[in-house]
Amino acid sequence: MKKRNTYINATFLSIVLHVVLIAALVFGGFYSATKMPSASSQKINDQSSVEPIKAVAIDPVMIQREALKLKRKKENQARKEKEEKQRLAAETQALERQKKEAQEKIKILKEQRIAEEKKVQAAQAKREAEKKALEEKQRVKIEKEKQAKLEKQRQQKLAEQKKAAERMKKEQEEKAAKEAAMLAKKKAAAAKEKARQERVKQEAMLDSLFNEIDSETASRNNVKTKVVAQQVARNAAIFQNMIQQKLRINDSMKGKQCQLSLNLSNNGVVYRVEHPTGDAALCSAAQAAVLEVGQFPMPTDPAVVKEMKNIRLVVEPR
Amino acid sequence: MLKRYKRLGYIFLFLLVQSLFAQNALAELKIVITEGVNTARPIGILPFRWEGSGTPPSSISDIVAADLTRSGQFTPVAENQLPQTPMDINSIDFKAWTAKGIDSLLMGSVNSNASGQYVVNFKLVDLAKGHLIEEEKADAASQNVLLLNNQGIITGPQVRNFAHRVSDLVYEKLTGKKGAFLTRIAYVVVKDSGTYPYQLMVADYDGYNEKQIVRSKEPIMSPNWSPDGKKIAYVSFENKHSQIFIQDVATGKREVIASYPRHNGSPHFSPDGSKLAIVLSKSGSLQVYIYDLQTKNLTKLTSGRANNTEPFWFPDGRHLIFTSDRSGHPQIYKLDLATKQTQRITWQGDQNLGGQISPNGKEMIMVSQIQSHYNIAKQDLTSGVVQVLTKTKLDESPSLAPNGSMIIYSSIYGHNNVLSLVSIDGRFKARLPMANGRVRSPTWSPFLQ
């Protein structure tokens, strides 16, 4: 609207100016013209009563030219103005557009930034989550390892305990065997001592008769006896255990005693159970236990076997 | 010349010493056994073969197996666990039995003869011996392996008694102790209805062959056998107050021994049968007296305000035990008849009562209250160690078998008092089959001939 107003104003101004210009040109022509056109004279005549106009004759073509010139100028101006206006408008528009575009851009940028931020946040969250997950994983792993370690330790401990128990058992067994061995040894030693004494006596008596003593053989026998005694003791402990596992007793047998002789074959089969003395029921139980065992494991060494074949079994439940 | 003889003499001496030494080398290895497994001894009992015609009598081998099981000392091997069922000793695979720890086998046969009697043959085989004889490649069928080889000719009603006799023989052969399977028990049956709700009964130890010897409308209590097994002393309220009777089991003849004011109770024969320990309350509280059956003299043994009851003789006849509440609760005391000195002998459990001394005088059986449960317990009189034998709740009046191997007692089963049996080691427990009614005060007879 405003634009239109300015446009009208400009046009109006333009017309006014054109009129003034034409007027000026007309009067200028009259003053400057030396000769007055005829037509004009008539007019002058008409106006003879008024102050004469000191006009110069004006060439209409010139006027027309001038007018055209003016008109063109004006048109030029108007066009220029219009162009200017258009330019301005375009500029404004462009500016506005630019502004708009800028805003748009800003908006987009903003959005982009937000999106970016969101992305960053998401990324961060994700990272954090991942981190956490990793941490958890590691924690679990550590925990697992810890547990595994503990379990391993426990197992180890158990194994150690078992080992210790076994060791203890073994030690006990060894001790029992040792004790039995000691006993056997003692017995053997006693027997040997007796034998030795006998022999010394005999040797002393026979010294003059058979002037020879094979001391070397004696010492060799000594070592051999020791080894045999050990093996006998170990086997005796095994026999004892086997019989105890089969011996059925009751309370009334506690404190009572039964002794019996046991004869084994070379391969340990119970060959004879003889001379039971003591509580009859206990003796029956002992005999049944021995026969239930049936065959005792025999060592390979014939010297040991010889010692194991005749056994005096003393049964006294406590 | 002389020198030469001397030399020969030395050689002879040397040989003699050598031979002695050689014997020494054969010395036995000594192995000492101090432990064993606490279980009953397995025994093989083959079903006695029926060789007669018609229906066989009740199974003797079953009765023997039940008897030996009740003693707690034997486990007859289940029939499907027997390694074999040999027809005779010649077909016994001894090692198959001994390998299972079975060292004796009872086998037998039953036939009928022309006069309708049963001829029973039975053998107890020493499987251990058989095993060893076989080992020596000797004749296994030799008679050596037989511990028993007997024959009996019996009639139908005698079958159970005969079976118990077989049990006694087997038990004695294998344990060295007299069996108590051919014994009887006396007990009181209390019925809720009928004209005579109170009945004194006598039966085989296992509850069979039950016979009524007294019936009454009023309570009967505390039966006790005389040492010869011919008489029973008991308390009866038939005359509206308690009286002590002694009755001949065979003839039914009886006499009143005590009928003092107030209570007359707990008669118990002395081991020689000449005296009767009784409990009277004529002076107020219950006190133990000895009544001499020959002189009719009455001797008061206990006094004081507390109650003293349930006298029981030691086998030596010189000591008595009785239950007294002088400490506030019933406990068992021992009285020396010569010195009159009394000594408390039970210290474990809240209450101890009904004491019975074992035939060897070394153990005491009693009812022991521990935390509201009344159980049969065994106390070693030397060490004082107490072993609770039963797990039921209200056990009462225990009575020992004459060989001390089993205890019969009354316990609650369902809502009734039933007759129960436990072996002295507590291993075996059983309820005995009985007629209707509550069974109280069982008492075991001495050995019967």
Side-chain angles (χ1 to χ4, degrees), chain A residues 187 195 202 247 312 314 316, chain B residues 14 21 28-29 31 33 37:
Chain A
K187 216 180 122 193
Q202 155 204 342
L247 180 68
R312 171 122 292 243
V314 181
E316 38 194 16
Chain B
F14 171 75
F21 179 63
E28 288 173 314
L29 171 69
I31 294 180
I33 305 292
V37 198

Side-chain angles (χ1 to χ4, degrees), chain A residues 274-297:
Chain A
E274 287 177 318
H275 316 303
T277 49
D279 183 72
L282 186 56
C283 283
S284 300
Q287 181 175 275
V290 168
L291 292 181
E292 195 175 348
V293 173
Q295 184 174 13
F296 290 90

Side-chain angles (χ1 to χ4, degrees), chain A residues 183-184 187 191 194-195 198-199 202 205-206 209-210 232 236 239-240 243-252 254 256 261-262 269-273 280-281 284-285 287-288 291-292 294 306-308 310-318, chain B residues 6-8 10-11 13-14 17-18 20-21 24-42 73 95 98-103 126-129 131-133 135-136 173-177 378 387 424-425 427:
Chain A
L183 210 77
K187 216 180 122 193
K194 206 174 160 197
E198 301 267 11
R199 202 181 317 177
Q202 155 204 342
M205 280 192 294
L206 301 178
L209 205 61
F210 311 99
V232 166
F239 286 18
Q240 182 204 30
I243 296 169
Q244 284 186 349
Q245 280 180 5
K246 298 292 183 195
L247 180 68
R248 292 178 177 86
I249 54 165
N250 60 46
D251 292 344
S252 71
K254 284 181 182 163
K256 289 185 178 153
S261 307
L262 211 60
V269 172
V270 180
Y271 186 60
R272 237 176 285 165
V273 183
S284 300
Q287 181 175 275
L291 292 181
E292 195 175 348
K306 198 177 147 201
E307 294 288 319
M308 301 301 302
N310 299 300
I311 296 167
R312 171 122 292 243
L313 201 61
V314 181
V315 188
E316 38 194 16
R318 286 180 199 144
Chain B
K6 204 175 173 184
R7 190 181 165 134
L8 273 172
Y10 276 134
I11 289 168
L13 194 67
F14 171 75
V17 169
Q18 277 289 26
L20 275 173
F21 179 63
N24 261 346
L26 274 172
E28 288 173 314
L29 171 69
K30 187 175 167 189
I31 294 180
V32 181
I33 305 292
T34 57
E35 284 164 37
V37 198
N38 199 340
T39 52
R41 177 175 174 181
Q73 298 189 42
K95 284 181 190 168
T98 53
K100 288 191 163 199
I102 309 166
D103 65 344
D126 188 339
L127 298 168
K129 203 167 188 180
H131 173 141
L132 292 167
I133 289 170
E135 204 57 67
E136 285 188 76
K173 208 74 194 171
L174 296 180
T175 66
K177 277 179 252 161
K378 175 174 75 176
Q387 182 193 354
I424 193 76
D425 48 22
R427 271 185 197 150

